[in-house]
Amino acid sequence: MPARPRTRSAKTTLSLDAIVAATLALVDELGCEAVSMRRVSQAVQTGPASLYVYVPDRGALMALAHDLAVADVRLPTDADGDWRARLELLVDRAVTALAAHNDIATVGMTGTLPGPHILRITEELLRLLRTGGISDAACAWAADLIGQYIASSALEEAMWSRARRSQERVGGSPPEAAAEEEKAEEAFAARLDALYRSLPAERYPTIRALAPLLTGGDGATRAAWKIRVLIDGLLAPARSDAN
């Protein structure tokens, strides 16, 4: 008898790496809330019960996907400048990596234990802070503060990326989608500015006075300013002690 032609694709080889990769791909497509154990099992062509051989629960699986999202973050080297320049670059790369995967950054805000890729970034972050002369106590809390900054910045970037992809799906080319994203950002800033300027000055005098500044500046400039202020604040006690 001749062999019957294959009518379906070969089943995905089941492994923890394949399961985590499928989970992250679903986050990219649907967002964290929509990712269930059933959807992941369908993506790797198995039953939900089979996943529990590899992970204890959905939370553990999402933590692994979150860790995978930063797997390709390159640590800065001496060629990238002094400790401060490298710290800023490391933060920027972490933000970019997380923002590339929809809202995966929310997982890092839910009390999950860090995986090896996140630990690698945290180790370098702490090392750079200590190199800069920041006290150990400040370094410990700074890691938490900078981690929160990375997550929130990644979520904001991801939001605008989703808007751009939505524009691409309705027929716009990547350059057109990028232009639409810029227009959307400008439109939002304009609406916010209009709101601030419409507020009664007797009740909101400071907002009215600062209205042009509250909505000014592009995203990259604001991001650079924020991390610079964070680092300046961490350095302030050391400078005070030196004086």
Side-chain angles (χ1 to χ4, degrees), residues 99-235:
H101 295 286
N102 209 330
D103 59 348
I104 193 66
T106 58
V107 176
M109 298 176 166
T110 58
T112 57
L113 293 176
H117 300 303
I118 293 173
L119 288 172
R120 177 176 63 94
I121 294 171
T122 302
E123 169 65 25
E124 181 63 7
L125 187 151
L126 289 170
R127 188 190 70 81
L128 289 170
L129 289 171
R130 293 183 86 186
T131 299
I134 295 170
S135 71
D136 286 355
C139 284
W141 288 5
D144 184 41
L145 176 62
I146 293 175
Q148 291 174 6
Y149 168 79
I150 289 172
S152 62
S153 297
L155 289 172
E156 184 176 14
E157 284 193 21
M159 176 190 69
W160 291 112
S161 293
R162 286 195 299 272
R164 183 173 64 250
R165 289 194 299 271
S166 177
Q167 177 63 27
E168 290 174 0
R169 282 195 294 270
V170 297
S173 65
E176 290 172 341
E180 287 298 322
E181 178 183 344
E182 184 176 352
K183 288 180 182 177
E185 292 182 17
E186 291 174 352
F188 176 75
R191 292 199 304 272
L192 190 59
D193 182 66
L195 169 65
Y196 289 155
R197 292 176 185 275
S198 69
L199 296 173
E202 65 276 8
R203 187 172 181 181
Y204 304 100
T206 311
I207 293 178
R208 283 288 301 271
L210 299 180
L213 298 175
L214 289 172
T215 56
D218 59 86
T221 302
R222 282 175 171 258
W225 181 86
K226 290 174 184 177
I227 189 61
R228 186 167 64 247
V229 168
L230 280 177
I231 298 173
D232 284 346
L234 293 169
L235 287 170

